[in-house]
Amino acid sequence: MLKNLVLIGFMGTGKSTIGRQLSKTLGYPVIDTDTQIESNEDRPIADIFANEGEPHFRQLETQILQQLLTNNTHKHIISTGGGIITRPENLPLLRDLGFVIWLVAKPETILERTSRNKDRPLLNNKNPEDTVRNLLQQREPLYAQAAHLSLETTGLTFSEITTGIIESARYHYGNG
Ligand code: S3P
């Protein structure tokens, strides 16, 4: 597989954990778009949302994807922020970067996982449950449009998810 494996999906669907596991198995380094933005800007995402607003953050996400393509990044695991699919121009960029995997989890699982920390500005409100359900509804068609593979993760172990992703990617590229 010469290209990258690109993980998309809602907050709390396990992109970072699965990304690390894929990295260990394949020996590809991980690039996390959130981490990259925080490091370029030298401040947390919550700060960017609070000071410049969400549209600015979305612009930074697009810039990262463009940069990765310009640098001809390959053989990496690219883990993305849950809202990266909200900018239509990002969809072809994601697919150009490699095999795009949409990690799917139930709203209950998402709520349980995301309630553990407060560093996600979009869920830092009085009713995160409504927010999750509304955003999921808005975003699902966009994830579906961007992804080569959608993977329902409920009931699967991290190792089963990782194996499934690698097998599908190999099949997709015709060397499985
Ligand atoms: C966001 C998801 C976050 C981060 C930012 C916005 C979103 O990433 O990019 O808080 O709009 O869903 P994770 O999906 O890694 O939590």
PDB file of all heavy atoms in Angstrom, residues 9-12 15 34 45 49 57-58 61 80-83 119-122 139, ligand 1:
ATOM      1  N   GLY A   9     -14.471  10.082  11.109  1.00  0.00           N
ATOM      2  CA  GLY A   9     -15.567   9.637  11.970  1.00  0.00           C
ATOM      3  C   GLY A   9     -15.816  10.632  13.070  1.00  0.00           C
ATOM      4  O   GLY A   9     -14.988  11.517  13.326  1.00  0.00           O
ATOM      5  N   PHE A  10     -16.962  10.481  13.707  1.00  0.00           N
ATOM      6  CA  PHE A  10     -17.378  11.425  14.737  1.00  0.00           C
ATOM      7  C   PHE A  10     -16.406  11.387  15.927  1.00  0.00           C
ATOM      8  O   PHE A  10     -15.668  10.423  16.102  1.00  0.00           O
ATOM      9  CB  PHE A  10     -18.799  11.054  15.202  1.00  0.00           C
ATOM     10  CG  PHE A  10     -19.542  12.199  15.790  1.00  0.00           C
ATOM     11  CD1 PHE A  10     -20.101  13.168  14.982  1.00  0.00           C
ATOM     12  CD2 PHE A  10     -19.680  12.329  17.168  1.00  0.00           C
ATOM     13  CE1 PHE A  10     -20.780  14.247  15.527  1.00  0.00           C
ATOM     14  CE2 PHE A  10     -20.362  13.398  17.722  1.00  0.00           C
ATOM     15  CZ  PHE A  10     -20.912  14.364  16.904  1.00  0.00           C
ATOM     16  N   MET A  11     -16.460  12.452  16.735  1.00  0.00           N
ATOM     17  CA  MET A  11     -15.689  12.483  17.987  1.00  0.00           C
ATOM     18  C   MET A  11     -16.004  11.218  18.790  1.00  0.00           C
ATOM     19  O   MET A  11     -17.166  10.805  18.854  1.00  0.00           O
ATOM     20  CB  MET A  11     -16.108  13.703  18.829  1.00  0.00           C
ATOM     21  CG  MET A  11     -15.845  15.020  18.160  1.00  0.00           C
ATOM     22  SD  MET A  11     -16.538  16.424  19.102  1.00  0.00           S
ATOM     23  CE  MET A  11     -18.055  16.756  18.199  1.00  0.00           C
ATOM     24  N   GLY A  12     -14.985  10.634  19.388  1.00  0.00           N
ATOM     25  CA  GLY A  12     -15.226   9.497  20.273  1.00  0.00           C
ATOM     26  C   GLY A  12     -15.474   8.171  19.569  1.00  0.00           C
ATOM     27  O   GLY A  12     -15.965   7.235  20.183  1.00  0.00           O
ATOM     28  N   LYS A  15     -10.771   7.056  16.605  1.00  0.00           N
ATOM     29  CA  LYS A  15      -9.791   7.324  15.529  1.00  0.00           C
ATOM     30  C   LYS A  15      -8.351   7.326  16.048  1.00  0.00           C
ATOM     31  O   LYS A  15      -7.459   6.733  15.437  1.00  0.00           O
ATOM     32  CB  LYS A  15     -10.096   8.676  14.846  1.00  0.00           C
ATOM     33  CG  LYS A  15     -11.358   8.658  13.999  1.00  0.00           C
ATOM     34  CD  LYS A  15     -11.766  10.075  13.637  1.00  0.00           C
ATOM     35  CE  LYS A  15     -12.065  10.836  14.882  1.00  0.00           C
ATOM     36  NZ  LYS A  15     -12.804  12.050  14.840  1.00  0.00           N
ATOM     37  N   ASP A  34      -5.672  17.224  14.320  1.00  0.00           N
ATOM     38  CA  ASP A  34      -5.879  18.082  15.500  1.00  0.00           C
ATOM     39  C   ASP A  34      -4.536  18.435  16.153  1.00  0.00           C
ATOM     40  O   ASP A  34      -4.265  19.599  16.468  1.00  0.00           O
ATOM     41  CB  ASP A  34      -6.742  17.370  16.555  1.00  0.00           C
ATOM     42  CG  ASP A  34      -8.214  17.307  16.180  1.00  0.00           C
ATOM     43  OD1 ASP A  34      -8.637  18.064  15.294  1.00  0.00           O
ATOM     44  OD2 ASP A  34      -8.941  16.496  16.795  1.00  0.00           O
ATOM     45  N   ILE A  45      -7.063  23.536  20.687  1.00  0.00           N
ATOM     46  CA  ILE A  45      -8.175  23.750  19.750  1.00  0.00           C
ATOM     47  C   ILE A  45      -9.263  24.610  20.397  1.00  0.00           C
ATOM     48  O   ILE A  45      -9.828  25.502  19.744  1.00  0.00           O
ATOM     49  CB  ILE A  45      -8.736  22.386  19.301  1.00  0.00           C
ATOM     50  CG1 ILE A  45      -7.752  21.745  18.329  1.00  0.00           C
ATOM     51  CG2 ILE A  45     -10.100  22.530  18.640  1.00  0.00           C
ATOM     52  CD1 ILE A  45      -8.026  20.323  17.992  1.00  0.00           C
ATOM     53  N   PHE A  49     -11.139  27.874  18.714  1.00  0.00           N
ATOM     54  CA  PHE A  49     -12.599  28.027  18.595  1.00  0.00           C
ATOM     55  C   PHE A  49     -13.064  29.284  19.331  1.00  0.00           C
ATOM     56  O   PHE A  49     -13.882  30.045  18.819  1.00  0.00           O
ATOM     57  CB  PHE A  49     -13.329  26.805  19.193  1.00  0.00           C
ATOM     58  CG  PHE A  49     -13.651  25.727  18.196  1.00  0.00           C
ATOM     59  CD1 PHE A  49     -12.642  24.938  17.649  1.00  0.00           C
ATOM     60  CD2 PHE A  49     -14.954  25.464  17.807  1.00  0.00           C
ATOM     61  CE1 PHE A  49     -12.923  23.927  16.743  1.00  0.00           C
ATOM     62  CE2 PHE A  49     -15.257  24.455  16.899  1.00  0.00           C
ATOM     63  CZ  PHE A  49     -14.240  23.689  16.376  1.00  0.00           C
ATOM     64  N   PHE A  57     -10.960  27.481  12.289  1.00  0.00           N
ATOM     65  CA  PHE A  57     -10.415  26.145  12.548  1.00  0.00           C
ATOM     66  C   PHE A  57     -10.582  25.261  11.310  1.00  0.00           C
ATOM     67  O   PHE A  57      -9.670  24.523  10.927  1.00  0.00           O
ATOM     68  CB  PHE A  57     -11.109  25.526  13.770  1.00  0.00           C
ATOM     69  CG  PHE A  57     -10.689  24.107  14.043  1.00  0.00           C
ATOM     70  CD1 PHE A  57      -9.454  23.830  14.616  1.00  0.00           C
ATOM     71  CD2 PHE A  57     -11.522  23.039  13.709  1.00  0.00           C
ATOM     72  CE1 PHE A  57      -9.053  22.515  14.852  1.00  0.00           C
ATOM     73  CE2 PHE A  57     -11.129  21.728  13.942  1.00  0.00           C
ATOM     74  CZ  PHE A  57      -9.896  21.468  14.518  1.00  0.00           C
ATOM     75  N   ARG A  58     -11.744  25.355  10.659  1.00  0.00           N
ATOM     76  CA  ARG A  58     -12.006  24.536   9.452  1.00  0.00           C
ATOM     77  C   ARG A  58     -11.030  24.888   8.327  1.00  0.00           C
ATOM     78  O   ARG A  58     -10.612  24.045   7.550  1.00  0.00           O
ATOM     79  CB  ARG A  58     -13.449  24.745   8.969  1.00  0.00           C
ATOM     80  CG  ARG A  58     -14.517  24.333   9.958  1.00  0.00           C
ATOM     81  CD  ARG A  58     -14.511  22.839  10.218  1.00  0.00           C
ATOM     82  NE  ARG A  58     -15.346  22.491  11.374  1.00  0.00           N
ATOM     83  CZ  ARG A  58     -15.096  21.494  12.194  1.00  0.00           C
ATOM     84  NH1 ARG A  58     -14.035  20.728  12.021  1.00  0.00           N
ATOM     85  NH2 ARG A  58     -15.886  21.237  13.208  1.00  0.00           N
ATOM     86  N   GLU A  61      -7.857  23.155   8.998  1.00  0.00           N
ATOM     87  CA  GLU A  61      -7.936  21.732   8.645  1.00  0.00           C
ATOM     88  C   GLU A  61      -7.694  21.535   7.152  1.00  0.00           C
ATOM     89  O   GLU A  61      -6.942  20.640   6.743  1.00  0.00           O
ATOM     90  CB  GLU A  61      -9.316  21.167   9.018  1.00  0.00           C
ATOM     91  CG  GLU A  61      -9.515  20.907  10.495  1.00  0.00           C
ATOM     92  CD  GLU A  61     -10.833  20.201  10.803  1.00  0.00           C
ATOM     93  OE1 GLU A  61     -11.875  20.590  10.242  1.00  0.00           O
ATOM     94  OE2 GLU A  61     -10.834  19.279  11.626  1.00  0.00           O
ATOM     95  N   THR A  80      -8.112  12.165  11.590  1.00  0.00           N
ATOM     96  CA  THR A  80      -8.663  13.506  11.366  1.00  0.00           C
ATOM     97  C   THR A  80      -9.643  13.926  12.464  1.00  0.00           C
ATOM     98  O   THR A  80     -10.183  13.077  13.181  1.00  0.00           O
ATOM     99  CB  THR A  80      -9.413  13.539  10.011  1.00  0.00           C
ATOM    100  OG1 THR A  80     -10.469  12.576  10.060  1.00  0.00           O
ATOM    101  CG2 THR A  80      -8.497  13.227   8.853  1.00  0.00           C
ATOM    102  N   GLY A  81      -9.911  15.209  12.569  1.00  0.00           N
ATOM    103  CA  GLY A  81     -10.929  15.720  13.489  1.00  0.00           C
ATOM    104  C   GLY A  81     -12.317  15.369  12.955  1.00  0.00           C
ATOM    105  O   GLY A  81     -12.526  15.308  11.734  1.00  0.00           O
ATOM    106  N   GLY A  82     -13.263  15.159  13.870  1.00  0.00           N
ATOM    107  CA  GLY A  82     -14.591  14.668  13.498  1.00  0.00           C
ATOM    108  C   GLY A  82     -15.373  15.541  12.533  1.00  0.00           C
ATOM    109  O   GLY A  82     -16.277  15.073  11.854  1.00  0.00           O
ATOM    110  N   GLY A  83     -14.998  16.835  12.442  1.00  0.00           N
ATOM    111  CA  GLY A  83     -15.774  17.726  11.575  1.00  0.00           C
ATOM    112  C   GLY A  83     -15.100  18.016  10.247  1.00  0.00           C
ATOM    113  O   GLY A  83     -15.548  18.888   9.481  1.00  0.00           O
ATOM    114  N   ASP A 119     -12.251  18.769  26.453  1.00  0.00           N
ATOM    115  CA  ASP A 119     -11.439  19.527  25.501  1.00  0.00           C
ATOM    116  C   ASP A 119     -12.072  19.635  24.107  1.00  0.00           C
ATOM    117  O   ASP A 119     -11.444  20.059  23.154  1.00  0.00           O
ATOM    118  CB  ASP A 119     -10.006  18.973  25.430  1.00  0.00           C
ATOM    119  CG  ASP A 119      -9.992  17.508  25.068  1.00  0.00           C
ATOM    120  OD1 ASP A 119     -11.058  16.993  24.670  1.00  0.00           O
ATOM    121  OD2 ASP A 119      -8.925  16.879  25.191  1.00  0.00           O
ATOM    122  N   ARG A 120     -13.353  19.233  23.999  1.00  0.00           N
ATOM    123  CA  ARG A 120     -14.027  19.359  22.693  1.00  0.00           C
ATOM    124  C   ARG A 120     -15.050  20.491  22.770  1.00  0.00           C
ATOM    125  O   ARG A 120     -16.142  20.320  23.315  1.00  0.00           O
ATOM    126  CB  ARG A 120     -14.696  18.052  22.317  1.00  0.00           C
ATOM    127  CG  ARG A 120     -13.697  16.930  22.027  1.00  0.00           C
ATOM    128  CD  ARG A 120     -14.442  15.683  21.661  1.00  0.00           C
ATOM    129  NE  ARG A 120     -13.570  14.623  21.192  1.00  0.00           N
ATOM    130  CZ  ARG A 120     -13.110  13.645  21.960  1.00  0.00           C
ATOM    131  NH1 ARG A 120     -13.393  13.615  23.249  1.00  0.00           N
ATOM    132  NH2 ARG A 120     -12.360  12.690  21.441  1.00  0.00           N
ATOM    133  N   PRO A 121     -14.704  21.652  22.197  1.00  0.00           N
ATOM    134  CA  PRO A 121     -15.560  22.837  22.347  1.00  0.00           C
ATOM    135  C   PRO A 121     -17.002  22.613  21.906  1.00  0.00           C
ATOM    136  O   PRO A 121     -17.924  23.162  22.508  1.00  0.00           O
ATOM    137  CB  PRO A 121     -14.875  23.900  21.482  1.00  0.00           C
ATOM    138  CG  PRO A 121     -13.793  23.214  20.723  1.00  0.00           C
ATOM    139  CD  PRO A 121     -13.505  21.924  21.400  1.00  0.00           C
ATOM    140  N   LEU A 122     -17.219  21.797  20.854  1.00  0.00           N
ATOM    141  CA  LEU A 122     -18.583  21.639  20.348  1.00  0.00           C
ATOM    142  C   LEU A 122     -19.497  20.903  21.332  1.00  0.00           C
ATOM    143  O   LEU A 122     -20.711  21.020  21.261  1.00  0.00           O
ATOM    144  CB  LEU A 122     -18.572  20.902  19.012  1.00  0.00           C
ATOM    145  CG  LEU A 122     -18.009  21.674  17.825  1.00  0.00           C
ATOM    146  CD1 LEU A 122     -18.038  20.819  16.574  1.00  0.00           C
ATOM    147  CD2 LEU A 122     -18.806  22.948  17.583  1.00  0.00           C
ATOM    148  N   ARG A 139     -24.010  15.024   9.729  1.00  0.00           N
ATOM    149  CA  ARG A 139     -22.726  14.617   9.164  1.00  0.00           C
ATOM    150  C   ARG A 139     -22.713  13.249   8.504  1.00  0.00           C
ATOM    151  O   ARG A 139     -21.838  12.996   7.660  1.00  0.00           O
ATOM    152  CB  ARG A 139     -21.665  14.648  10.270  1.00  0.00           C
ATOM    153  CG  ARG A 139     -21.341  16.053  10.721  1.00  0.00           C
ATOM    154  CD  ARG A 139     -20.308  16.017  11.812  1.00  0.00           C
ATOM    155  NE  ARG A 139     -19.916  17.348  12.252  1.00  0.00           N
ATOM    156  CZ  ARG A 139     -19.029  17.578  13.200  1.00  0.00           C
ATOM    157  NH1 ARG A 139     -18.447  16.551  13.799  1.00  0.00           N
ATOM    158  NH2 ARG A 139     -18.707  18.811  13.544  1.00  0.00           N
TER     159      ARG A 139
HETATM  160  C1  S3P B   1     -14.459  18.310  16.110  1.00  0.00           C
HETATM  161  C2  S3P B   1     -13.779  17.167  16.495  1.00  0.00           C
HETATM  162  C3  S3P B   1     -12.502  17.211  17.242  1.00  0.00           C
HETATM  163  C4  S3P B   1     -11.753  18.517  16.928  1.00  0.00           C
HETATM  164  C5  S3P B   1     -12.634  19.700  17.183  1.00  0.00           C
HETATM  165  C6  S3P B   1     -13.922  19.677  16.353  1.00  0.00           C
HETATM  166  C7  S3P B   1     -15.755  18.164  15.391  1.00  0.00           C
HETATM  167  O1  S3P B   1     -11.688  16.101  16.877  1.00  0.00           O
HETATM  168  O2  S3P B   1     -11.300  18.534  15.608  1.00  0.00           O
HETATM  169  O3  S3P B   1     -12.956  19.712  18.557  1.00  0.00           O
HETATM  170  O4  S3P B   1     -16.230  19.146  14.792  1.00  0.00           O
HETATM  171  O5  S3P B   1     -16.330  17.045  15.406  1.00  0.00           O
HETATM  172  P1  S3P B   1     -11.964  14.577  17.388  1.00  0.00           P
HETATM  173  O6  S3P B   1     -12.952  13.977  16.439  1.00  0.00           O
HETATM  174  O7  S3P B   1     -10.628  13.934  17.270  1.00  0.00           O
HETATM  175  O8  S3P B   1     -12.472  14.647  18.768  1.00  0.00           O
END
